[in-house]
Amino acid sequence: MVRIKSAKDIEAMRPACHHAADTLVMIEPYIKAGITTDYINDLVHAFTTEAGGIPAPLNYHGFPKSVCTSVNHVVCHGIPNSKKIQAGDIINVDVTTIINGWHGDTSMTFYVGEPKVQARKVTEIARRALEIGISIVRPGATLGDIGHAIQSYVEGEKCSVVREYCGHGIGTTFHEDPQILHYGKPGEGLTLKQGMVFTIEPMVNFGKAGVKVLSDGWTVVTRDRSLSAQFEHTMVVTEDGCEVLTIPSS
């Protein structure tokens, strides 16, 4: 059941979406060799709660922290810990903020110092894959159109798209219908309508697409230990295209 959001709903979502985006802006200067992902978690938690928001990941189905931090070959759902990040690493910081019951969800992959060649390549491909996916969103397009555009670009760059995890509808619930696959065939799947709100968040592996979940039940890694990168935005389908909602407030 896909919930169509009204103009009033969209306005109600904006504070959460802006704050999630502001959180990534806030965190960027701190992404340096020698900090821990626990430190990132503490910064995100404080920044969110001081604004009157709630960090959605905290206690979500038992997730123990306020943000997901996924380093190098970690694809998604990395749990912040006391390990220090190193120069040359890449790290995805995935933020979801709840304000007044509405969710805003966004993520970005950051370079830790100067990236290595493979790290830069997979990160920039993931960044571009999200841009390509967003460019397809408009009334009358299908979910298959989005997935096909992303898959074709990524595989054309000799990387791979993770199949097991996808974008999702979002609103007063963290994860709603529809599921937004980052692969597919043109013309297949749900047809987009004005007022649909969802995330696009392609996870791009430098190597093969296979992933596995570690024993903590959350951390997803590439099976071949290749690097993985991801970018994510929340958006709404408009009358003639889409509007990205997770943009900074200033």
Side-chain angles (χ1 to χ4, degrees):
M1 185 73 178
V2 177
R3 180 184 171 193
I4 301 296
K5 273 58 170 193
S6 67
K8 184 178 179 180
D9 291 336
I10 301 306
E11 291 307 309
M13 283 193 72
R14 289 189 191 280
C17 289
H18 287 319
H19 190 275
D22 288 343
T23 305
L24 294 179
V25 173
M26 177 277 295
I27 210 72
E28 185 169 14
Y30 295 95
I31 305 293
K32 297 179 180 179
I35 70 162
T36 66
T37 50
D38 264 338
Y39 181 53
I40 295 172
N41 179 78
D42 292 344
L43 290 169
V44 170
H45 185 89
F47 188 74
T48 304
T49 56
E50 287 169 7
I54 299 169
L58 185 61
N59 299 319
Y60 181 76
H61 295 301
F63 190 80
K65 296 298 177 80
S66 295
V67 66
C68 297
T69 52
S70 302
V71 181
N72 292 336
H73 71 288
V74 179
V75 175
C76 61
H77 303 160
I79 302 172
N81 58 37
S82 60
K83 185 177 179 180
K84 294 179 180 180
I85 58 176
Q86 305 295 320
D89 286 347
I90 54 175
I91 177 171
N92 178 269
V93 179
D94 191 346
V95 174
T96 308
T97 303
I98 306 171
I99 295 180
N100 296 325
W102 293 89
H103 293 69
D105 191 3
T106 186
S107 84
M108 179 180 296
T109 297
F110 297 94
Y111 298 130
V112 184
E114 184 64 25
K116 298 173 184 177
V117 173
Q118 289 186 2
R120 183 183 295 278
K121 178 178 179 180
V122 73
T123 300
E124 295 309 316
I125 290 171
R127 190 193 311 272
R128 180 61 181 148
L130 174 58
E131 293 171 349
I132 288 170
I134 291 170
S135 74
I136 302 300
V137 179
R138 63 181 60 85
T142 70
L143 296 184
D145 295 339
I146 298 171
H148 176 75
I150 291 171
Q151 179 185 7
S152 297
Y153 167 69
V154 171
E155 293 180 353
E157 295 293 329
K158 308 303 182 185
C159 289
S160 57
V161 176
V162 172
R163 301 295 204 274
E164 289 85 348
Y165 301 90
C166 60
H168 52 89
I170 188 168
T172 53
T173 303
F174 196 164
H175 296 93
E176 302 177 351
D177 288 335
Q179 292 189 334
I180 313 297
L181 304 182
H182 304 117
Y183 60 96
K185 296 180 179 179
E188 293 190 351
L190 186 71
T191 298
L192 303 184
K193 297 180 180 180
Q194 183 176 353
M196 289 182 178
V197 178
F198 50 79
T199 71
I200 298 178
E201 47 186 296
M203 297 162 218
V204 177
N205 295 349
F206 188 83
K208 296 180 180 180
V211 300
K212 64 179 180 180
V213 181
L214 298 186
S215 59
D216 61 25
W218 284 103
T219 306
V220 179
V221 301
T222 55
R223 285 190 174 275
D224 60 8
R225 303 281 294 186
S226 66
L227 295 173
S228 187
Q230 179 191 16
F231 290 81
E232 174 186 15
H233 273 308
T234 298
M235 68 209 65
V236 57
V237 182
T238 61
E239 183 178 4
D240 58 359
C242 76
E243 179 191 355
V244 174
L245 299 174
T246 41
I247 58 173
S249 57
S250 60

